[in-house]
Amino acid sequence: MALAPSASNISIRQTLDILDGSFRSVAAGVAEDRYAFWLGSGISFGKVDGLKKIIPRVIEFLRQRIDRADANCAVASALNRALALAGLSDEEWARVNTGVEFSTWPDRAAIVTRLTNNYARLLEITVAGQPEDYLLWEGVGIAATFANPAIEPDVEHLCMAMLVLEGAASDIATANWDGLVEKAIDELTGGVPKLVVCVRSEDLRQPKLTAQLIKFHGCAVLAVSDEAHYRPFLVARFSQINRWAAALENRAVIGRLTDIAVSKPTLMMGLSAQDSNIQAFFASAEATMRWPWPGDRPSFVFSGDQVGADQEALLRNVYPQVYTAATRDQINEQSLVKSYANPLLMALLLSVICDKLSGMVELVEGTLDPDGKNAIKQGIVSLRNHLSSLDNGDRLEFVKSFADQTSRIMTMFRDGSAGTAPRRYNPLTSTPLHQIAGDQNIPSTGLAEVAVMAGVLGIGIETGVWALEGVDPSDPSAGIVRVQAATGSTKMVLAAHGRAAIRLQQNGHIVDDEDAVLVYSAEKPPTMTRSPRSSPGRTGHLGLREVSMYDLLQATTSSAELMQLFREEAAI
């Protein structure tokens, strides 16, 4: 029997199985924008230095600045206090040699390990004549480490940005100082404002946008660009963490966070919750309004390989009456998605889009019966699973390609133009799942028929009728996908209506008289005029076939009839 995958090696496809299974209510809740995302340093691992790199940097920073001619050197005193926090034995103290680089010390690894869970006290150490945050600002190197404009967003930041644009993540709280979520959104929108970033209470007064990101431990990017206003809000030192909840300047932000914590379940990623202020905050929020257990969905969900000691402490605080020896294991199990943020966020994005498409199937006009609609919805799931399986190990490239290809498909469908790379992310809808049924604009967009087409493609994959081949997004004439069937490989293009189809032709996405299928959402317009440059007479191939999903849906009642009629008209 194969072992279950760990959180570090689980695939996107396997994560989707979890979201389809015991955590289905969580996936549906994310699609409906019910969950608040709480993000920690784990989502920036590999892009921004963690404590394992920061702590040696701080020690070496102090070591290099020791004045060996001064018996009372303030920096040497600070370094001794730092090492004392590591609880060195007499033998380890004897091996300390400040005359050589810290990287060469024989006990370096042990010192770093011990200080990792004591980082706040380390950064609390002051140096005479220097600001209180000297070790943080200069020793850690806030500007170079957390506000470096050369650092690019990773998988987690890009997926988080796409969830925001899909309307599934309107409330985000983070302890991270970096600006990578913000940068990802700027990258995917071409700089169009979508995110309100809040650090200080005054920031809460900004005009509302698609989402709000509360950086409750401060923001390095803002601290560097506006040092006077934002540097004091970088929270790292032990005293800052302890007084965070009581500080007058934080009360409005804490009030907003409390509102989020009591009104939305918590989905925590890359956040160990080890800081005392985070533990105390959730305990305080529980006293304001308690989350029930068991409820209709998990109220606190962690992404990781296991529920750690700090996360158990948080669960004990938020479920004070029911977190007992009898229920502890069950609560822990229901609170843990065994997948790290990297695959989980991509799986959530695919799940959200899949759920939206499935919801749109209910909005189509026509005679398709309930069983037919359910079969189409299952086809959408099959297409989603197929897409997830295309992850070849380079997940950043996979996510970037997904964003580019889906944006290209949507812009070609709506406007008849693929645009130029880098393309802005074009969400399926900017509203969450539960608002789709009441969105009066959707019927006129043709998206419901696109949802049916997605289901048809998925049914074809599931039944082995065809396979899908990717296309080169830099080739204007490549279409959106190629359908490989027994009859051969056929290019496919989607168009919302006749105007979009005309523009597809004008922009070179449909080549005259080529072997391709053009699928309309709306009724099929009069046959497209062939260019006088096209070859006269028989060409030896099928030529362009035009199919209207709207027309097919008026003529079929079952998914089998729909598939048959589509294949006949598309000659696939």
Side-chain angles (χ1 to χ4, degrees):
M1 182 176 178
L3 295 175
S6 69
S8 58
N9 63 24
I10 193 169
S11 68
I12 296 172
R13 178 69 181 84
Q14 290 168 323
T15 304
L16 282 167
D17 287 340
I18 293 176
L19 296 179
D20 287 344
S22 57
F23 284 87
R24 178 57 196 151
S25 62
V26 174
V30 170
E32 294 175 347
D33 191 28
R34 290 197 183 195
Y35 276 86
F37 287 79
W38 291 71
L39 309 176
S41 60
I43 73 158
S44 297
F45 182 76
K47 288 292 184 176
V48 176
D49 291 345
L51 290 174
K52 294 292 186 182
K53 291 184 178 180
I54 288 173
I55 289 169
R57 184 181 305 149
V58 171
I59 299 296
E60 180 64 15
F61 174 82
L62 290 171
R63 188 199 68 81
Q64 289 181 2
R65 285 158 180 77
I66 294 175
D67 183 354
R68 305 185 190 284
D70 182 359
N72 298 312
C73 176
V75 177
S77 174
L79 179 56
N80 285 336
R81 279 178 280 152
L83 296 175
L85 286 174
L88 272 62
S89 66
D90 291 342
E91 292 80 8
E92 288 170 330
W93 273 115
R95 290 192 291 268
V96 170
N97 181 2
T98 60
V100 299
E101 291 184 4
F102 178 63
S103 61
T104 67
W105 291 15
D107 302 304
R108 173 188 181 277
I111 292 170
V112 172
T113 297
R114 295 170 197 166
L115 289 177
T116 296
N117 291 326
N118 220 1
Y119 79 94
R121 287 184 172 89
L122 171 65
L123 297 176
E124 188 70 59
I125 293 171
T126 56
V127 177
Q130 298 293 345
E132 287 188 348
D133 64 352
Y134 178 60
L135 284 192
L136 173 63
W137 192 256
E138 299 290 345
V140 172
I142 287 294
T145 304
F146 295 100
N148 185 348
I151 300 175
E152 293 298 324
D154 210 340
V155 171
E156 295 87 339
H157 313 104
L158 291 167
C159 288
M160 198 71 244
M162 285 186 274
L163 283 169
V164 166
L165 298 176
E166 290 286 350
S170 63
D171 289 302
I172 310 168
T174 183
N176 294 355
W177 293 326
D178 65 69
L180 293 177
V181 170
E182 302 95 300
K183 190 171 185 179
I185 290 179
D186 282 345
E187 179 180 310
L188 293 178
T189 64
V192 176
K194 294 289 183 179
L195 187 69
V196 175
V197 178
C198 297
V199 174
R200 305 181 305 149
S201 296
E202 293 85 347
D203 297 335
L204 296 170
R205 293 172 174 167
Q206 298 178 71
K208 185 177 180 180
L209 294 173
T210 304
Q212 184 179 65
L213 172 64
I214 299 181
K215 306 184 80 168
F216 56 88
H217 278 183
C219 175
V221 176
L222 291 174
V224 169
S225 64
D226 188 353
E227 189 174 331
H229 287 113
Y230 288 97
R231 178 171 169 177
F233 285 86
L234 290 172
V235 176
R237 307 194 311 277
F238 189 67
S239 61
Q240 290 177 303
I241 291 173
N242 286 341
R243 72 178 292 271
W244 178 79
L248 179 63
E249 64 270 20
N250 292 333
R251 287 185 185 176
V253 169
I254 292 173
R256 175 62 184 135
L257 285 172
T258 301
D259 176 58
I260 293 171
V262 301
S263 62
K264 285 187 170 184
T266 292
L267 179 51
M268 200 171 280
M269 297 185 178
L271 186 63
S272 67
Q274 68 172 334
D275 290 333
S276 60
N277 66 328
I278 296 176
Q279 294 281 341
F281 166 79
F282 279 101
S284 175
E286 183 276 337
T288 301
M289 188 165 72
R290 182 171 299 166
W291 283 101
W293 185 89
D296 58 351
R297 57 179 40 83
S299 302
F300 294 87
V301 181
F302 306 109
S303 164
D305 211 36
Q306 61 183 358
V307 176
D310 294 310
Q311 293 164 334
E312 273 204 359
L314 190 148
L315 290 172
R316 192 173 291 111
N317 285 334
V318 298
Y319 298 129
Q321 306 300 320
V322 296
Y323 195 83
T324 66
T327 62
R328 181 174 57 241
D329 290 345
Q330 187 179 1
I331 292 176
N332 286 357
E333 182 181 354
Q334 292 179 1
S335 301
L336 178 68
V337 178
K338 293 196 71 173
S339 174
Y340 284 129
N342 182 298
L344 177 55
L345 283 168
M346 188 65 211
L348 281 170
L349 177 63
L350 289 172
S351 179
V352 166
I353 294 172
C354 177
D355 284 351
K356 285 185 174 183
L357 288 170
S358 295
M360 289 176 186
V361 171
E362 294 295 335
L363 304 181
V364 293
E365 298 180 23
T367 56
L368 195 62
D369 62 25
D371 287 343
K373 289 182 179 180
N374 287 335
I376 291 296
K377 291 177 184 179
Q378 184 54 49
I380 293 171
V381 173
S382 297
L383 180 61
R384 179 205 69 180
N385 292 342
H386 167 73
L387 292 175
S388 72
S389 69
L390 299 179
D391 175 20
N392 62 2
D394 186 346
R395 193 157 291 158
L396 180 58
E397 180 57 34
F398 173 73
V399 169
K400 287 183 174 180
S401 177
F402 175 83
D404 183 56
Q405 292 276 28
T406 54
S407 297
R408 179 175 178 272
I409 290 170
M410 293 306 293
T411 52
M412 287 174 67
F413 165 74
R414 288 169 172 156
D415 306 322
S417 172
T420 56
R423 280 175 275 265
R424 300 178 182 181
Y425 181 70
N426 204 327
L428 187 63
T429 70
S430 59
T431 54
L433 174 63
H434 64 285
Q435 295 181 17
I436 285 177
D439 189 339
Q440 298 178 351
N441 293 319
I442 287 179
S444 62
T445 63
L447 287 175
E449 288 77 15
V450 168
V452 174
M453 187 64 236
V456 166
L457 290 174
I459 291 173
I461 295 172
E462 189 176 7
T463 57
V465 171
W466 54 55
L468 301 184
E469 301 174 350
V471 299
D472 180 359
S474 65
D475 180 1
S477 65
I480 64 163
V481 72
R482 294 195 70 87
V483 180
Q484 176 65 53
T487 55
S489 178
T490 304
K491 164 182 163 181
M492 182 174 289
V493 183
L494 302 181
H497 38 61
R499 177 178 174 274
I502 291 171
R503 294 200 64 194
L504 284 168
Q505 188 178 47
Q506 291 172 339
N507 290 314
H509 303 311
I510 300 175
V511 179
D512 291 340
D513 204 28
E514 66 177 323
D515 181 7
V517 177
L518 170 60
V519 182
Y520 295 95
S521 285
E523 299 95 329
K524 184 162 55 176
T527 303
M528 293 179 62
T529 304
R530 289 176 51 183
S531 166
R533 293 174 297 169
S534 57
S535 302
R538 298 179 181 268
T539 59
H541 59 78
L542 293 172
L544 182 66
R545 286 89 76 198
E546 300 175 49
V547 182
S548 163
M549 287 307 301
Y550 177 87
D551 291 343
L552 296 186
L553 287 165
Q554 314 312 306
T556 56
T557 58
S558 70
S559 60
E561 289 177 341
L562 180 63
M563 283 290 294
Q564 180 180 351
L565 196 55
F566 174 79
R567 293 187 66 192
E568 288 174 357
E569 294 208 10
I572 294 178

